[in-house]
Amino acid sequence: MSRPLARPLDRPLSSDDRGATALEFAIVFPVFILFFYGMLACYSLIVSWRAMDLGLQRAMRSTAVSRSVSTADVKAAFKAGADIVSPDVGTNATVSLTGTVATGNTVKISATYAWTPMASFNYNFGGGAPTTIFKPLTLANEATVKVIYPN
């Protein structure tokens, strides 16, 4: 005998558990997806920041021990360091050198990178322009190094 489609009148509505799994899934799944995307976005941000740090370390080392350093040399050293972790940061970061490279001088190296999440979720309420939930960030880092030459 097959189960009737309608709820019997003698059974209360609160005891009807059909569709409970679908409802739980509908509530939990979007939260899980946002949490998972947030973890990936956070990982991407950490990798980009680490690439900037490594690139800046390489640029500082290059500046401190080279006899003649130009801005192009500093950018190349930054790119070589950042490419180890994230080629995108090495290619798209803006690197600048402030100061005169000479023995005993202090030089400042600055780097900025426009980090964007892997994808943007857009939502649109009330017919207006869509708004991005995860906004891009500008990562900036700088270091000061005293120039010394090897003997």
Side-chain angles (χ1 to χ4, degrees):
M1 183 168 175
S2 66
R3 185 175 178 179
L5 296 177
R7 181 182 59 85
L9 296 175
D10 60 340
R11 200 167 99 187
L13 185 62
S14 61
S15 68
D16 190 5
D17 60 356
R18 290 179 295 171
T21 304
L23 180 64
E24 290 171 2
F25 179 78
I27 293 171
V28 172
F29 186 69
V31 173
F32 172 75
I33 291 297
L34 283 175
F35 178 72
F36 185 72
Y37 178 75
M39 285 188 340
L40 290 177
C42 186
Y43 174 76
S44 170
L45 180 63
I46 291 169
V47 166
S48 298
W49 186 257
R50 180 65 187 129
M52 284 197 51
D53 273 352
L54 194 57
L56 206 53
Q57 286 176 7
R58 288 273 177 108
M60 287 170 37
R61 233 179 261 127
S62 170
T63 304
V65 298
S66 296
R67 293 212 176 266
S68 64
V69 174
S70 65
T71 305
D73 296 334
V74 171
K75 287 180 181 180
F78 178 88
K79 182 174 176 5
D83 281 351
I84 293 170
V85 179
S86 173
D88 184 52
V89 175
T91 305
N92 297 322
T94 305
V95 182
S96 64
L97 176 68
T98 308
T100 306
V101 179
T103 305
N105 285 358
T106 302
V107 179
K108 184 169 91 170
I109 302 169
S110 303
T112 57
Y113 173 68
W115 175 83
T116 54
M118 287 103 28
S120 297
F121 290 124
N122 294 326
Y123 62 91
N124 184 355
F125 293 121
T131 305
T132 304
I133 294 175
F134 297 105
K135 304 278 185 200
L137 298 174
T138 301
L139 302 177
N141 204 349
E142 65 182 25
T144 305
V145 62
K146 187 168 185 167
V147 179
I148 56 170
Y149 294 132
N151 294 336

